[in-house]
Amino acid sequence: MHKTDAPVVKDLLLIGGGHSHVTVLRRLGMRPVPGLRVTLLTRDIHTPYSGMLPGFIAGHYDYDECHIDLGPLARFAGARLYHAEVESLDLDNKLVYASGRPPIAYDILSINTGSRPVSTDIPGVDEFALPVKPIDVFLDKWEQLIERVRVSKGPFRIVVVGGGAGGVELALSTQLRLQTILKAAGKDPENVVYTLLSASDDIMYMHNAGVRHRFERILRQRHITVKTGARVTEVRADKVLTAEGGAYDADAVLWVTSASAPAWPAKAGLAVDEAGFIRVDEHLQSLSHQDVFAAGDVASLPDSRPKSGVFAVRQGPVLAHNLPAAATGRRLRRYRPQKNFLGLISTGDQYAVASRGNWSYASAWLWTVKDWIDRRFMLKYNELPEMDEEDSPELASGIADAEAIKELSTLAMRCGGCGAKVGATVLSRVMQRLPDTQRDDVLIGRDSPDDCAMLTLPKDKVMVQSVDYFRAFIDDNYTFGAIAANHALGDVFAMGAEPQSALAIATVPYGRERIVEETLYDVLAGAIQVLESSGAVLAGGHSSEGAELAFGLTVNGLLDPDTALRKQGLQPGDALVLTKPIGTGTLLAAEMRAKAKGRWIDAAIQSMLISSQQAARCLRQHGATSCTDLTGFGLVGHLIEMTRASDVDATLYMDALPILDGALQTVEAGILSSLQPQNLRLRRAIDDVERVSHHPAYPLLYDPQTAGGLLAGIPREKVSACIETLHGMGYPTAVIIGKVEPRSDRDASIRIQ
């Protein structure tokens, strides 16, 4: 990955991780544009490659072989990755609204979200059918369908709705997979009974007669019944009804009809065609808004083409040129769609049919060619070039913006001391945009111009206070702010206190006034969302400019001193309970090196966003004797603090440790947090450490955690009920990881079992 030090001048926002946008990201990684900040907003962390999906469904590929991992690709491109789904656009103010986060500003917007099968106004489709798109939803439900077929007795009837290439490929590939599974289970593979319904008078209506005849023969050979001219009017729980009066029994319905567009482009006021697809010109630029581009299935070109990944791939290089060109005022390039293209259509097994114009051909060799082409395409995106900071790829032209240049000229010399504070105007605007929740015991908060917050303590309560502050470790400022707040509140929850208030401190990177405001707003909005859900208010804070984003909070909580949960208090016989999985340190280190899969990082982020507030209440209700939250010192470091303070020993069950997906792979690859070597010095507290040091999970004992779970001692007789309650509260990985024992005469207080 190559990053420039140029301050942000313009924002390029990519909606969707489709075939065109992955080309844009790779090109920007190779040729960054100084001053252009790139953000990828995507519903899916892994983009499925349409050409390999039938092979994946049939069992010829695994998940990673046919999906482009957007996590490392975005990092390679220097792009911020926002995992959310678009809800609406504000084209006048250049804002995109996405679920669960503040609006995202843009200067240039590009849309490559693909399409979905048409199902409008057909009763029962949403309830009973399984649409092939969105792909991730289909794949999840496909696994459920596999299990239904596996345990079925007698015939299992599947109706595929859609006679185009997608429907035919899906029918053949799913049939092969299900028959293989039944055969392995010792059942009759012919128990899977297929019917293919096509609304047109032919199957494969967009291909030549030779292709149609070949697939008609193949479908007959596979005993798949084909009904043409069958327009579906209703889907029921056990059958599909058609306009001509047909009724087809169905235990499952796969929906692979023609493409439909999302509703939000038309609602926003973008020029769209009669089907709702975004109308673009030959430069892939919106006909109604010059700052908006679109590609792939969601785009409607003057010279219309089928909704096919072939065209989205070909549009990628044109879009990769035109987006930076639009930002830098350079000339745009025309997209010229090919009139004829070679289509290689799989037949489920390792066999393929070629289609080009009026020519067709079929053979097993063609599948080998298709497999080679597809794998070569995927390698471009899943095996990215290694780049060090010293590498100097050819940079695209920087952004020429007179207003920006004038503003950025003031960035050359930055003051220190109080001169480094964020300006009053920016700060005032941010405060006005943020919600101002209040509490009666916060007498003076951030709504007042006074120098300090003023708090009051209820009778018989004491205040607990903790502080955390760290550099940003993800590019999503809103999510970073939320995780930072969750991390800081962990100390309050661990002691059994009620959060009351917080003071924030933020260091914001130098930049244009608009960018500084957006960054500060996003990180504070994320923090406030977490604080308010815990019952606390943001009472004030301090902000300054610096080289990189960093953020922290001083949090205050209220507590009856007689009920405080402390690190001392563990009793022999207690079970050690951990409420969340470990592994954030190694995963974040791997993500910085672009060595972690996107789904690993996304799962780690979701874990860090889970509040420990309810877990703390559960632990207290079940008689917790001692508690702490796992943070920088890792599991062993925090357990040592507890055993020493309690004058006890402890046994850890290594194989019981809850571990985040991917953490074992990254530590096996030797990717560890920079704090790991210091934490590793604590190994002297482990008895017979050489015996356990070869265990795959051993390095994770010292892995520093961000917003980690709670570690508590629970009386043995109450621990089963405690674990069951935690699972019901939304802590599915909560588990017993060890036990507390009387203090022995060993020098090392922790044994590994």
Side-chain angles (χ1 to χ4, degrees), residues 130 137-151 156 178:
L130 173 52
V137 176
F138 171 80
L139 293 179
D140 286 342
K141 293 186 177 180
W142 166 239
E143 292 298 324
Q144 298 171 21
L145 178 57
I146 287 176
E147 189 57 31
R148 287 177 58 200
V149 173
R150 192 195 311 273
V151 300
F156 193 96
L178 294 175

Side-chain angles (χ1 to χ4, degrees), residues 432-709:
Q432 290 172 11
R433 294 170 61 188
L434 292 169
D436 187 22
T437 306
Q438 299 183 4
R439 286 175 55 119
D440 292 340
D441 52 3
V442 180
L443 306 180
I444 297 176
R446 59 186 171 85
D447 59 331
S448 169
D450 291 285
D451 294 328
C452 295
M454 185 182 294
L455 316 174
T456 185
L457 296 181
K459 186 179 180 182
D460 300 326
K461 296 280 187 179
V462 297
M463 176 177 286
V464 296
Q465 190 175 68
S466 183
V467 61
D468 280 290
Y469 178 81
F470 39 64
R471 299 159 49 204
F473 49 85
I474 56 175
D475 291 326
D476 183 340
N477 298 334
Y478 176 80
T479 302
F480 169 59
I483 291 174
N486 212 16
H487 182 91
L489 287 168
D491 292 327
V492 174
F493 297 145
M495 293 199 74
E498 169 203 346
Q500 181 208 39
S501 59
L503 298 176
I505 181 165
T507 301
V508 185
Y510 309 128
R512 295 180 65 187
E513 186 174 291
R514 177 181 68 82
I515 302 298
V516 171
E517 178 181 340
E518 178 198 338
T519 301
L520 183 58
Y521 172 77
D522 281 354
V523 73
L524 287 175
I528 286 177
Q529 185 273 326
V530 170
L531 290 171
E532 289 188 343
S533 65
S534 75
V537 299
L538 182 65
H542 177 79
S543 60
S544 63
E545 290 186 322
E548 59 183 350
L549 177 64
F551 182 69
L553 294 146
T554 296
V555 291
N556 305 311
L558 303 176
L559 177 68
D560 180 343
D562 295 331
T563 64
L565 279 174
R566 301 180 61 185
K567 292 180 180 178
Q568 64 189 52
L570 287 177
Q571 299 296 315
D574 285 352
L576 292 173
V577 172
L578 182 60
T579 62
K580 289 165 68 172
I582 60 176
T584 60
T586 177
L587 287 170
L588 291 174
E591 200 274 337
M592 289 180 64
R593 303 183 194 182
K595 298 295 185 182
K597 296 185 186 300
R599 62 179 178 273
W600 297 348
I601 300 303
D602 186 62
I605 288 172
Q606 296 310 311
S607 178
M608 288 185 278
L609 287 171
I610 296 174
S611 170
S612 290
Q613 188 167 26
Q614 293 301 317
R617 290 172 181 168
C618 175
L619 296 172
R620 288 174 60 82
Q621 290 168 1
H622 289 85
T625 57
S626 177
C627 188
T628 188
D629 65 324
L630 289 195
T631 53
F633 296 151
L635 176 58
V636 164
H638 290 289
L639 181 57
I640 289 172
E641 292 178 328
M642 297 175 79
T643 56
R644 286 178 177 170
S646 305
D647 195 30
V648 294
D649 285 357
T651 293
L652 283 177
Y653 308 144
M654 183 76 85
D655 291 334
L657 294 179
I659 298 172
L660 286 165
D661 188 21
L664 286 174
Q665 289 92 323
T666 54
V667 296
E668 183 182 8
I671 302 175
L672 303 171
S673 166
S674 57
L675 188 58
Q676 181 97 0
Q678 295 184 51
N679 288 350
L680 190 60
R681 296 171 186 170
L682 301 172
R683 64 184 180 276
R684 61 182 179 273
I686 296 179
D687 184 53
D688 195 11
V689 68
E690 294 300 325
R691 176 180 58 84
V692 298
S693 61
H694 301 294
H695 192 287
Y698 173 75
L700 294 173
L701 296 176
Y702 311 96
D703 189 59
Q705 302 305 292
T706 300

Side-chain angles (χ1 to χ4, degrees), residues 189-200:
E190 298 301 322
N191 280 349
V192 181
V193 181
Y194 269 78
T195 301
L196 177 69
L197 303 181
S198 175
S200 65

Side-chain angles (χ1 to χ4, degrees), residues 71-262:
L73 183 59
R75 176 164 283 277
F76 175 75
R80 303 185 298 179
L81 178 60
Y82 290 0
H83 188 193
E85 189 166 7
V86 174
E87 294 179 337
S88 62
L89 307 180
D90 180 347
L91 297 169
D92 293 332
N93 295 303
K94 297 188 176 185
L95 294 173
V96 174
Y97 291 85
S99 55
R101 61 173 310 109
I104 308 162
Y106 68 86
D107 295 294
I108 305 293
L109 176 66
S110 182
I111 303 170
N112 181 210
T113 55
S115 60
R116 301 187 179 190
V118 173
S119 62
T120 55
D121 302 325
I122 300 179
V125 171
D126 292 340
E127 185 176 0
F128 300 116
L130 173 52
V132 71
K133 292 184 180 181
I135 293 294
D136 65 315
V137 176
F138 171 80
L139 293 179
D140 286 342
K141 293 186 177 180
W142 166 239
E143 292 298 324
Q144 298 171 21
L145 178 57
I146 287 176
E147 189 57 31
R148 287 177 58 200
V149 173
R150 192 195 311 273
V151 300
S152 65
K153 298 178 180 179
F156 193 96
R157 300 153 301 182
I158 295 178
V159 174
V160 179
V161 180
V168 171
E169 278 193 300
L170 189 70
L172 292 168
S173 59
T174 55
Q175 183 199 50
L176 178 69
R177 180 73 176 279
L178 294 175
Q179 288 183 339
T180 302
I181 287 170
L182 286 178
K183 191 179 298 183
K187 297 182 178 181
D188 184 359
E190 298 301 322
N191 280 349
V192 181
V193 181
Y194 269 78
T195 301
L196 177 69
L197 303 181
S198 175
S200 65
D201 294 333
D202 293 295
I203 62 167
M204 312 284 288
Y205 61 94
M206 299 190 72
H207 292 268
N208 62 64
V211 171
R212 292 197 296 271
H213 294 329
R214 291 178 189 277
F215 274 102
E216 287 168 357
R217 184 179 69 254
I218 291 168
L219 291 167
R220 284 195 302 270
Q221 292 171 346
R222 306 279 179 87
H223 306 296
I224 295 177
T225 301
V226 177
K227 298 292 183 180
T228 58
R231 183 172 60 84
V232 174
T233 56
E234 185 180 356
V235 178
R236 296 180 181 175
D238 60 349
K239 61 174 51 69
V240 176
L241 306 182
T242 60
E244 75 280 6
Y248 302 92
D249 293 336
D251 296 298
V253 178
L254 306 182
W255 197 262
V256 204
T257 59
S258 57
S260 67

